[in-house]
Amino acid sequence: QVRLVEFGGGLGQAGGSLRLFCEASGGTVSSYAMGWFRRPPGKESEFVAFINWSGGRTVYANSVKGRFTISRDLSTVYLQMSDLKPEDTAVYYCAYDLGGSSWTGWGQGTQVTVSS
């Protein structure tokens, strides 16, 4: 029932920064864990970052650890991307977890392209 919309993607330069946004509609996701995922061109989707319901625990993929930061408020989940690399080029999606890694609410995704 709750749907998520991702935005904030665009063109970035290697070493630069970009901030992604994920907003909920049709309800709230304040009681659920949230996650960011991405699909690089020609590859399968991969996990990027996780944040629990309170924002007190985060988990990152090794490929983005130390460069990306996930955060949240009542209605929005953020992905602050710094020190961008060309391999970060992908369509980025967010989702919420109903429990037991039951991810749902996928949005349309937002394209991130990092030039080399």
Side-chain angles (χ1 to χ4, degrees), residues 8-83:
L11 300 176
Q13 187 177 33
S17 299
L18 207 58
R19 187 170 176 85
L20 304 185
F21 305 80
C22 173
E23 295 187 346
S25 63
T28 64
V29 293
S30 60
S31 62
Y32 299 109
M34 303 290 298
W36 281 98
F37 303 81
R38 68 186 184 186
R39 182 183 291 274
K43 298 182 179 180
E44 297 181 351
S45 295
E46 61 186 31
F47 165 78
V48 175
F50 165 97
I51 187 167
N52 76 336
W53 71 271
S54 69
R57 184 170 74 94
T58 58
V59 180
Y60 299 92
N62 288 334
S63 59
V64 307
K65 191 176 300 181
R67 301 187 299 115
F68 290 10
T69 301
I70 186 172
S71 60
R72 67 188 300 167
D73 56 26
L74 289 177
S75 62
T76 307
V77 181
Y78 309 87
L79 186 67
Q80 177 64 50
M81 306 186 296
S82 299
D83 192 23

